[in-house]
Every structure is written in C-alpha cells, then in structure tokens.
Amino acid sequence: MSGTMRMTFSSALRAELLKLPRSPLVVAHAACALAAGFACGAYFSATPWDPSFGTDAYVQFLGALMPLMAGIACGLSVDEERRAGRLANLLAAPSRRAAVLAKLAVLWIAASLTLTAAISLFSCILALAGRFTLPLSSLALSAGGLALGSLPLYALSLALSLRFGRNASIAVGAAGMLVAFFSVGGLAHGLMTGSLTGAMPSGALGAIPFCWAARLGSLGVESAIASTVGCVGAVIGAASWLVPACTTLCALASAVLTAWFVRFEEGRGDA
C-alpha cells in the first residue's frame, strides 16, 4: 500500500516523458507533421480550390487518419515496453493505474502536438501564398477537436496493444480510418461539393467514435465557414451532442482502461 501511495500520476508522467526523447516515436510524429503540412499546404496554396474548404478537407483528413495513427503509435510504444522487459515498467509499477494513465497521456499529448504542428504548418504555407482566409480561433478549435476526438482512440489502441499486440491494434485502427472517411462522405467530399460535411447528419456512422476526431476537428473550420453562408445552426447542432458525448467517452475509456489494466497479466510475446 505504501508503495502505491509513493507513485503518483505526476511521477509516472515524468518517467514517461524522460523516456520519450529516446523513442523513435518522436521522429515518427515529427515526420508525419512535416509531411502532411508541407504536402497538403503546398497543394492547396497552388490550386484553385476554395482555401477554406481546402482547410476543412485537410482537417478531416487528419482526423480520419487518427484511428490508424493511434493504432500504430500505441502498438510501437507497447512493443518498446515488451523489448525493455516484458512490460515490467508497467506491470511492476507501484501503481499500475498511474503507470498506464501516464503512458496514455504521453501518447495522446504527442499526438495532440503533432496535429497542432501539422495544422500550423499547413496554415503558414497558405498564408505565405496569400490564401489564408480563416480566423486563428477556428484553427485552435479544430486542433482542440482533433485532440479531444483522439483520446478514446488512444485508450482503445493501448488496451488492444497490451492484450493482443501491435498487429491487432493497427488492424482495428485501419478499419476505424475507413469508417471515419465514409462518415464525411469520403476524402474531400465537402471540398468538391461545397457542403459542410463535418456538421451534416451522417446517420449511424456519425455515432461511431472512430469518426469523432474527423468531425470535431472539422467543426472548428466549419464554424467559420458557416458564419459566412448562414449555416451556423447546423454546426452548433452537431457540436451540441458531439462534444459532451466525446468528453464523456474520454472519461469512461480512461476509467475502463485503468480498471482493466490493474488485473491484466502479460501472456504474449513481442508480436
């Protein structure tokens, strides 16, 4: 009991942060942000597409990729823990709850910073080309929406990686990515049709958490677009249930992950 009391979430978080600079995940996250920001920013700065809808399509693209990115990041991180000592840093910690929550927090923070960097770089390239048309507040809302919608995905992917291994986590993430793309009508559907696909009703698909990062991120951009075309009500309507639903799921997913991990026993190899 005293050992458990000595390990707080903050101390576990510090331990995870100290390990992060030596992890290949840092380079992977930076490469993803640079590649997405440069490639998409260069494209939309040189094409005749409406830059506002181009930004919306870009944010939806980032959000739809998050199930797969969560699967890859969590799978690789758990693989590192297995190679370092068959998860001893997590399973033998004085407080398993603090250890797994710290792991989740660091992975999610890294993803959130990557998403913010990707959006910032994209926007800077558009601004240099004289095609940046959105208020900075809408981009901040988009980054926040992407981060909020990603947290449940990271909790799920971390549990899958711990229980079944990297391949299962990535496979589920890939399936979730496809569902997310379909939920907004496919890649760049709103760009080509001029519709607010993040705010529009999407039937049963819209209720699947795999889609929430794309839709919540999109609503930040679409809130600015809607103010100019008179569709603010649709954005508010979508946000009014998505934000509380996702916030509740974040808390529930974190609680379920910690409750499950306290009883978890490692029984697989490094696959």
Side-chain angles (χ1 to χ4, degrees):
M1 180 65 70
S2 60
T4 301
M5 294 298 292
R6 281 197 299 269
M7 185 180 190
T8 64
F9 172 73
S10 60
S11 63
L13 186 61
R14 284 195 299 271
E16 285 292 330
L17 291 172
L18 288 173
K19 291 187 290 184
L20 193 59
R22 300 189 296 272
S23 172
L25 287 175
V26 174
V27 176
H29 280 86
C32 288
L34 290 172
F38 271 122
C40 296
Y43 174 76
F44 283 110
S45 67
T47 61
W49 295 111
D50 184 309
S52 295
F53 280 98
T55 304
D56 190 30
Y58 174 64
V59 170
Q60 288 181 2
F61 170 71
L62 293 178
L65 285 178
M66 288 315 295
L68 178 58
M69 295 298 101
I72 293 172
C74 291
L76 292 177
S77 180
V78 171
D79 273 2
E80 288 182 22
E81 294 289 351
R82 285 197 168 99
R83 286 192 297 269
R86 299 189 64 81
L87 303 182
N89 289 331
L90 298 174
L91 295 177
S95 171
R96 285 190 177 188
R97 286 186 175 90
V100 77
L101 274 180
K103 172 70 71 177
L104 174 64
V106 167
L107 288 168
W108 176 69
I109 290 169
S112 301
L113 292 175
T114 301
L115 290 166
T116 301
I119 292 174
S120 300
L121 181 57
F122 174 88
S123 303
C124 286
I125 294 175
L126 284 188
L128 289 173
R131 290 176 58 79
F132 185 70
T133 58
L134 295 170
L136 292 177
S137 59
S138 68
L139 298 181
L141 287 172
S142 287
L146 288 170
L148 178 64
S150 297
L151 182 53
L153 304 178
Y154 273 81
L156 173 63
S157 296
L158 185 54
L160 288 173
S161 299
L162 289 165
R163 178 63 181 85
F164 299 109
R166 175 189 65 243
N167 293 338
S169 176
I170 293 174
V172 171
M177 177 187 68
L178 294 177
V179 172
F181 275 122
F182 281 123
S183 75
V184 290
L187 183 61
H189 175 67
L191 176 66
M192 293 183 287
T193 62
S195 55
L196 304 181
T197 50
M200 72 180 186
S202 55
L205 286 180
I208 300 175
F210 285 128
C211 311
W212 291 357
R215 298 194 68 199
L216 283 167
S218 179
L219 289 178
V221 174
E222 292 185 1
S223 64
I225 299 175
S227 65
T228 65
V229 297
C231 299
V232 176
V235 176
I236 294 175
S240 66
W241 75 266
L242 268 172
V243 173
C246 192
T247 302
T248 301
L249 184 59
C250 287
L252 181 61
S254 300
V256 170
L257 174 66
T258 54
W260 167 78
F261 190 67
V262 167
R263 297 168 177 81
F264 172 71
E265 295 298 333
E266 169 70 344
R268 59 176 293 109
D270 294 340

